[in-house]
Amino acid sequence: MNGGLVRLREVYDSLNPSERKVAAFILQEPAEMIQMSVADLAVRSGSSQAAIVRLCKTMGFKGYQDLKLKVAGDLQEPLATGYQDIRPNDSISAIIQNVSNNNIQSIRDTMKIMEEGKVEEAVLALDQSKRIFMFGVGASNLIGMDAQQKFLRINKVCISFPDPHVQLTSAVLLTPDDAAVCISYSGETDEVIRAAAIAREKGCKTIGITKYGDSTLSRSVDIPLYTSSTENEIRSGAMSSRITQLNLIDILYLGVASRNYENSVKYLDESRQAIKRL
């Protein structure tokens, strides 16, 4: 039971000033915080008990004790190396270590905030759908293309269009028998949010893949799935967010394949043989 510190880092910038004081104190002094009552934390952080209650609600915790348990779980884990940013004239050795460690840490952090019930719900929706449509712009579209390649290999119709306008056109054609996966790390990509809205209007089950916390996309889909990463202004190119999104797609893909194991193995073997004959 962990992930408290990851959730705090992910939502920190979106918190109001009083909640941010609480979050900052917990991130700086997690070991001290787990020994405190709500009243003690309010005093030490310079905030209020009401702000602490709101923060727990914002993060999706049952209450303060739930937050303390998850932070305590984080403290039981080996100390992480921490995210490393780009620096001038880094050696190739440093770049190899930093990029790899950042990606590994992002996947580990995503595991901490992943809700198994939501993942199971998404797998069921994808499995029961006749068609899967992937909606994403820019780097997020690459995630959709990867999903298309994977699901097609187990005979699951999966469609990903690179053109955002064609995506919106295809969203109009969705039915309640389809599933739509909407991908946006920020959760604020206009084209993706519009596609999600159209999909829901058509009665289609919608799944969102976005960063942890409140966002327009997370509120616009039936099943929000969250990832953690280290994205900021300097880390351009959606590096670690892409890795965590690809990892989540793999989880969904294997979840569907596992539910149809015999047929999936057959189709995978047939596709492998077809490529070998080239």
Side-chain angles (χ1 to χ4, degrees), residues 15-275:
L15 299 175
N16 65 42
S18 58
E19 293 171 347
R20 193 174 297 180
K21 288 180 181 179
V22 180
F25 180 85
I26 297 173
L27 290 170
Q28 291 170 8
E29 303 291 346
E32 189 174 346
M33 169 265 181
I34 63 175
Q35 305 296 328
M36 293 179 173
S37 66
V38 174
D40 292 336
L41 179 58
V43 172
R44 290 296 308 278
S45 64
S47 188
S48 67
Q49 295 186 43
I52 297 171
V53 172
R54 288 197 305 271
L55 176 61
C56 292
K57 186 176 181 180
T58 296
M59 296 173 63
F61 292 137
K62 298 174 184 176
Y64 181 57
Q65 290 302 316
D66 191 19
L67 171 59
K68 286 174 68 174
L69 284 172
K70 286 185 168 56
V71 172
D74 290 332
L75 297 179
Q76 299 302 313
E77 296 184 346
L79 187 64
T81 56
Y83 294 113
Q84 298 297 318
D85 212 336
I86 297 171
R87 297 170 300 189
N89 302 313
D90 266 344
S91 68
I92 292 299
S93 175
I95 292 172
I96 291 171
Q97 291 294 320
N98 292 342
V99 171
S100 300
N101 287 335
N102 284 349
N103 288 337
I104 291 168
Q105 190 62 41
S106 291
I107 290 176
R108 285 177 174 163
D109 286 347
T110 295
M111 289 175 63
K112 294 177 184 178
I113 62 175
M114 200 173 288
E115 299 178 47
E116 291 186 11
K118 292 293 185 184
V119 175
E120 179 69 29
E121 194 178 345
V123 167
L124 181 62
L126 295 173
D127 180 48
Q128 293 180 341
S129 66
K130 288 186 177 179
R131 302 178 300 175
I132 302 170
F133 281 70
M134 309 297 298
F135 299 119
V137 176
S140 293
N141 176 250
L142 299 177
I143 311 303
M145 293 173 65
D146 178 76
Q148 174 182 263
Q149 188 269 342
K150 285 184 167 69
F151 281 106
L152 286 176
R153 290 195 65 191
I154 58 172
N155 197 29
K156 192 73 181 178
V157 176
C158 185
I159 303 167
S160 178
F161 296 108
D163 189 324
H165 291 174
V166 179
Q167 289 182 30
L168 291 174
T169 302
S170 68
V172 176
L173 305 177
L174 291 169
T175 74
D177 293 326
D178 299 322
V181 180
C182 307
I183 308 167
S184 167
Y185 175 71
S186 69
E188 302 298 338
T189 306
D190 290 338
E191 296 89 342
V192 176
I193 292 167
R194 180 60 182 147
I198 295 172
R200 293 191 76 178
E201 288 172 4
K202 297 297 179 178
C204 173
K205 184 68 76 172
T206 53
I207 300 165
I209 297 180
T210 184
K211 68 176 181 179
Y212 181 79
D214 181 57
S215 68
T216 304
L217 181 60
S218 67
R219 296 192 302 269
S220 302
V221 297
D222 299 306
I223 309 170
L225 301 177
Y226 299 109
T227 64
S228 172
S229 84
T230 62
E231 303 304 334
N232 62 20
E233 288 80 1
I234 297 178
R235 294 185 188 92
S236 59
M239 292 189 291
S240 55
S241 66
R242 185 189 72 250
I243 295 299
T244 55
Q245 289 168 349
L246 286 170
N247 187 63
L248 182 51
I249 288 294
D250 285 349
I251 291 169
L252 298 175
Y253 159 69
L254 290 175
V256 174
S258 178
R259 294 175 69 92
N260 306 274
Y261 181 78
E262 296 299 331
N263 283 333
S264 295
V265 170
K266 178 174 72 74
Y267 290 130
L268 286 169
D269 184 61
E270 288 178 355
S271 63
R272 190 178 299 113
Q273 293 302 321
I275 293 171

